[in-house]
Coordinates of all heavy atoms in Angstrom, one line a residue:
L1 N 15.9 -24.2 3.5 CA 16.2 -24.7 2.2 C 15.8 -23.7 1.1 O 16.6 -23.5 0.2 CB 15.4 -26.0 2.0 CG 15.6 -26.7 0.6 CD1 17.0 -27.1 0.3 CD2 14.7 -27.9 0.4
S2 N 14.7 -23.1 1.3 CA 14.2 -22.1 0.4 C 15.1 -20.9 0.3 O 15.4 -20.3 -0.8 CB 12.8 -21.6 0.7 OG 11.9 -22.7 0.7
A3 N 15.6 -20.4 1.5 CA 16.5 -19.3 1.5 C 17.8 -19.4 0.7 O 18.3 -18.5 0.2 CB 16.8 -18.9 3.0
S4 N 18.3 -20.7 0.6 CA 19.5 -20.9 0.0 C 19.4 -21.4 -1.4 O 20.4 -21.2 -2.2 CB 20.3 -22.0 0.8 OG 19.6 -23.2 0.9
T5 N 18.3 -22.0 -1.8 CA 18.2 -22.6 -3.1 C 17.1 -22.1 -4.0 O 17.1 -22.4 -5.2 CB 18.1 -24.2 -3.0 OG1 16.8 -24.4 -2.3 CG2 19.2 -24.8 -2.2
A6 N 16.1 -21.4 -3.4 CA 14.9 -21.0 -4.2 C 14.7 -19.6 -4.4 O 13.6 -19.1 -4.3 CB 13.7 -21.7 -3.5
L7 N 15.8 -18.8 -4.6 CA 15.6 -17.4 -4.9 C 15.3 -17.2 -6.4 O 16.1 -16.8 -7.2 CB 16.9 -16.7 -4.5 CG 17.3 -16.7 -3.1 CD1 18.7 -16.1 -2.8 CD2 16.3 -16.1 -2.2
Y8 N 14.0 -17.5 -6.7 CA 13.6 -17.6 -8.1 C 13.8 -16.2 -8.8 O 14.1 -16.1 -10.0 CB 12.2 -18.1 -8.2 CG 12.0 -19.4 -7.6 CD1 11.0 -19.6 -6.6 CD2 12.8 -20.5 -7.9 CE1 10.8 -20.9 -6.0 CE2 12.6 -21.7 -7.4 CZ 11.6 -21.9 -6.4 OH 11.5 -23.1 -5.9
A9 N 13.4 -15.2 -8.0 CA 13.5 -13.9 -8.7 C 14.9 -13.4 -9.0 O 15.0 -12.5 -9.8 CB 12.8 -12.8 -7.7
Q10 N 15.9 -14.1 -8.5 CA 17.3 -13.7 -8.7 C 18.0 -14.6 -9.7 O 19.2 -14.4 -10.0 CB 18.0 -13.6 -7.4 CG 17.5 -12.6 -6.4 CD 18.2 -12.6 -5.1 OE1 19.3 -13.3 -5.0 NE2 17.7 -11.9 -4.1
R11 N 17.3 -15.6 -10.2 CA 17.9 -16.5 -11.2 C 17.1 -16.5 -12.5 O 15.9 -16.2 -12.4 CB 18.2 -17.9 -10.6 CG 16.9 -18.7 -10.3 CD 17.3 -20.0 -9.8 NE 16.2 -20.8 -9.4 CZ 15.4 -21.6 -10.2 NH1 15.7 -21.6 -11.5 NH2 14.4 -22.3 -9.7
S12 N 17.6 -17.0 -13.5 CA 16.9 -17.1 -14.8 C 16.0 -18.3 -14.8 O 16.4 -19.4 -14.4 CB 17.9 -17.2 -16.0 OG 17.2 -17.4 -17.2
I13 N 14.7 -18.0 -15.1 CA 13.7 -19.1 -15.1 C 13.5 -19.5 -16.6 O 13.1 -18.7 -17.4 CB 12.4 -18.6 -14.5 CG1 12.6 -18.2 -13.1 CG2 11.4 -19.8 -14.5 CD1 11.4 -17.6 -12.4
K14 N 13.8 -20.8 -16.9 CA 13.7 -21.3 -18.2 C 12.3 -21.9 -18.3 O 12.0 -23.0 -17.9 CB 14.7 -22.4 -18.5 CG 16.2 -21.9 -18.4 CD 17.2 -23.0 -18.7 CE 18.6 -22.5 -18.6 NZ 19.6 -23.5 -18.9
M15 N 11.4 -21.1 -18.9 CA 10.0 -21.5 -19.0 C 9.8 -22.7 -19.9 O 8.8 -23.5 -19.7 CB 9.1 -20.3 -19.5 CG 9.2 -19.1 -18.7 SD 8.7 -19.4 -17.0 CE 7.0 -19.7 -17.2
Q16 N 10.7 -23.0 -20.8 CA 10.5 -24.1 -21.7 C 10.7 -25.5 -21.0 O 10.3 -26.5 -21.5 CB 11.5 -24.1 -22.9 CG 13.0 -24.1 -22.5 CD 13.6 -22.8 -22.3 OE1 12.8 -21.8 -22.0 NE2 14.9 -22.6 -22.4
D17 N 11.3 -25.4 -19.8 CA 11.4 -26.6 -19.0 C 10.1 -27.1 -18.3 O 10.0 -28.2 -17.9 CB 12.5 -26.4 -17.9 CG 13.9 -26.2 -18.4 OD1 14.1 -26.6 -19.6 OD2 14.7 -25.7 -17.7
Y18 N 9.1 -26.2 -18.3 CA 7.9 -26.5 -17.6 C 6.8 -26.8 -18.6 O 6.1 -26.0 -19.1 CB 7.5 -25.3 -16.7 CG 8.5 -25.0 -15.6 CD1 9.4 -24.0 -15.8 CD2 8.6 -25.8 -14.5 CE1 10.4 -23.7 -14.9 CE2 9.6 -25.5 -13.5 CZ 10.5 -24.5 -13.7 OH 11.4 -24.2 -12.8
T19 N 6.8 -28.1 -19.0 CA 5.8 -28.6 -19.9 C 4.4 -28.7 -19.2 O 4.3 -28.5 -17.9 CB 6.2 -30.0 -20.4 OG1 6.4 -30.8 -19.3 CG2 7.4 -29.8 -21.3
T20 N 3.4 -28.9 -19.9 CA 2.0 -28.9 -19.3 C 1.8 -29.8 -18.2 O 1.1 -29.6 -17.2 CB 1.0 -29.2 -20.4 OG1 1.3 -30.4 -21.1 CG2 0.9 -28.0 -21.4
D21 N 2.5 -31.0 -18.2 CA 2.4 -32.0 -17.1 C 3.0 -31.5 -15.8 O 2.7 -32.1 -14.8 CB 2.9 -33.3 -17.5 CG 4.4 -33.2 -17.8 OD1 4.8 -32.3 -18.5 OD2 5.2 -34.1 -17.3
L22 N 3.8 -30.4 -15.9 CA 4.4 -29.9 -14.7 C 3.8 -28.6 -14.3 O 4.3 -27.9 -13.4 CB 5.9 -29.6 -15.0 CG 6.8 -30.8 -15.3 CD1 8.2 -30.4 -15.6 CD2 6.8 -31.8 -14.1
I23 N 2.6 -28.2 -14.8 CA 2.0 -27.0 -14.5 C 0.6 -27.2 -13.8 O -0.1 -28.1 -14.2 CB 1.7 -26.2 -15.8 CG1 3.1 -25.8 -16.5 CG2 1.0 -24.8 -15.5 CD1 2.9 -25.2 -17.8
R24 N 0.3 -26.4 -12.8 CA -1.0 -26.5 -12.1 C -1.5 -25.1 -12.0 O -0.8 -24.2 -11.4 CB -0.9 -27.1 -10.7 CG -0.3 -28.6 -10.7 CD -1.3 -29.5 -11.4 NE -0.8 -30.9 -11.3 CZ -0.1 -31.5 -12.2 NH1 0.3 -30.8 -13.3 NH2 0.3 -32.8 -12.0
N25 N -2.6 -24.8 -12.6 CA -3.2 -23.5 -12.5 C -4.4 -23.6 -11.5 O -5.4 -24.4 -11.8 CB -3.7 -23.0 -13.8 CG -2.6 -22.8 -14.8 OD1 -1.5 -22.4 -14.4 ND2 -2.8 -23.2 -16.1
F26 N -4.4 -22.8 -10.4 CA -5.5 -23.0 -9.4 C -5.8 -21.6 -8.8 O -5.0 -20.7 -8.9 CB -5.1 -24.0 -8.3 CG -4.0 -23.5 -7.4 CD1 -4.3 -23.0 -6.2 CD2 -2.7 -23.5 -7.8 CE1 -3.3 -22.5 -5.3 CE2 -1.6 -23.1 -7.0 CZ -2.0 -22.6 -5.7
S27 N -7.0 -21.6 -8.2 CA -7.4 -20.4 -7.4 C -7.8 -20.8 -6.0 O -7.9 -22.0 -5.7 CB -8.5 -19.6 -8.2 OG -9.6 -20.5 -8.3
I28 N -8.1 -19.8 -5.2 CA -8.7 -20.0 -3.9 C -10.0 -19.3 -3.8 O -10.0 -18.1 -4.0 CB -7.7 -19.6 -2.8 CG1 -6.3 -20.2 -2.9 CG2 -8.3 -19.9 -1.4 CD1 -5.3 -19.6 -1.9
I29 N -11.1 -20.0 -3.5 CA -12.4 -19.4 -3.4 C -12.8 -19.5 -1.9 O -12.7 -20.6 -1.3 CB -13.4 -20.0 -4.3 CG1 -13.5 -21.5 -4.2 CG2 -13.1 -19.6 -5.8 CD1 -14.6 -22.1 -5.0
A30 N -13.3 -18.4 -1.4 CA -13.7 -18.4 0.0 C -14.6 -17.3 0.3 O -14.6 -16.3 -0.4 CB -12.5 -18.4 1.0
H31 N -15.4 -17.3 1.4 CA -16.1 -16.2 1.9 C -15.2 -15.2 2.5 O -14.0 -15.5 2.8 CB -17.2 -16.7 2.9 CG -18.2 -15.6 3.2 ND1 -19.3 -15.3 2.4 CD2 -18.4 -14.8 4.3 CE1 -20.0 -14.4 2.9 NE2 -19.5 -14.1 4.1
I32 N -15.7 -14.0 2.8 CA -14.8 -12.9 3.4 C -14.3 -13.4 4.8 O -15.1 -14.0 5.5 CB -15.6 -11.6 3.6 CG1 -16.0 -11.1 2.2 CG2 -14.8 -10.6 4.3 CD1 -16.8 -9.8 2.2
D33 N -13.1 -13.2 5.0 CA -12.4 -13.4 6.4 C -12.4 -14.9 6.7 O -12.4 -15.3 7.9 CB -13.2 -12.7 7.5 CG -12.4 -12.5 8.7 OD1 -11.2 -12.4 8.6 OD2 -12.9 -12.5 9.8
H34 N -12.3 -15.8 5.7 CA -12.1 -17.2 6.0 C -10.6 -17.6 5.8 O -10.3 -18.8 5.9 CB -12.9 -18.1 5.0 CG -14.4 -18.2 5.5 ND1 -15.2 -19.3 5.2 CD2 -15.1 -17.4 6.3 CE1 -16.4 -19.1 5.8 NE2 -16.4 -18.0 6.4
G35 N -9.7 -16.6 5.6 CA -8.3 -16.9 5.6 C -7.7 -17.1 4.2 O -6.6 -17.7 4.2
K36 N -8.3 -16.6 3.2 CA -7.8 -16.8 1.8 C -6.4 -16.2 1.6 O -5.5 -16.8 1.1 CB -8.8 -16.3 0.8 CG -8.4 -16.5 -0.6 CD -9.5 -16.0 -1.6 CE -10.0 -14.6 -1.2 NZ -8.9 -13.7 -1.3
S37 N -6.3 -14.9 2.0 CA -5.1 -14.2 1.8 C -4.0 -14.7 2.7 O -2.8 -14.8 2.3 CB -5.3 -12.7 2.1 OG -6.2 -12.1 1.2
T38 N -4.3 -15.2 3.9 CA -3.3 -15.8 4.8 C -2.8 -17.1 4.2 O -1.6 -17.4 4.3 CB -4.0 -16.0 6.2 OG1 -4.5 -14.8 6.6 CG2 -2.9 -16.5 7.1
L39 N -3.7 -17.9 3.6 CA -3.3 -19.2 3.0 C -2.4 -18.9 1.8 O -1.3 -19.6 1.6 CB -4.5 -20.0 2.6 CG -4.2 -21.3 1.8 CD1 -3.3 -22.2 2.7 CD2 -5.5 -22.0 1.4
A40 N -2.7 -17.9 1.0 CA -1.8 -17.5 -0.1 C -0.4 -17.1 0.4 O 0.6 -17.5 -0.2 CB -2.5 -16.3 -0.9
D41 N -0.4 -16.4 1.5 CA 0.9 -16.0 2.1 C 1.8 -17.3 2.5 O 3.0 -17.3 2.2 CB 0.7 -15.1 3.3 CG 0.2 -13.8 3.0 OD1 0.3 -13.4 1.8 OD2 -0.4 -13.1 3.9
R42 N 1.1 -18.2 3.1 CA 1.8 -19.5 3.5 C 2.3 -20.3 2.3 O 3.4 -20.8 2.3 CB 0.9 -20.3 4.4 CG 0.4 -19.7 5.7 CD 1.5 -19.4 6.7 NE 2.2 -18.1 6.4 CZ 1.6 -17.0 6.8 NH1 0.4 -16.9 7.4 NH2 2.3 -15.8 6.6
L43 N 1.5 -20.3 1.3 CA 1.9 -21.0 0.0 C 3.1 -20.4 -0.6 O 4.1 -21.1 -1.0 CB 0.7 -21.1 -1.0 CG -0.5 -21.9 -0.5 CD1 -1.6 -21.8 -1.6 CD2 -0.1 -23.4 -0.3
L44 N 3.1 -19.1 -0.6 CA 4.3 -18.3 -1.2 C 5.5 -18.5 -0.4 O 6.6 -18.6 -0.9 CB 3.9 -16.8 -1.3 CG 2.8 -16.4 -2.3 CD1 2.5 -15.0 -2.1 CD2 3.3 -16.7 -3.7

């Protein structure tokens, strides 16, 4: 589904459509080698 419909980098993103209730700002905190970078890869 992502390969056919979610090529965000190739389409115009209308930032005004994303109001604060549609935004989530988060980070990942972990000790070294607990899989933080790997989890970020899977989320992307």
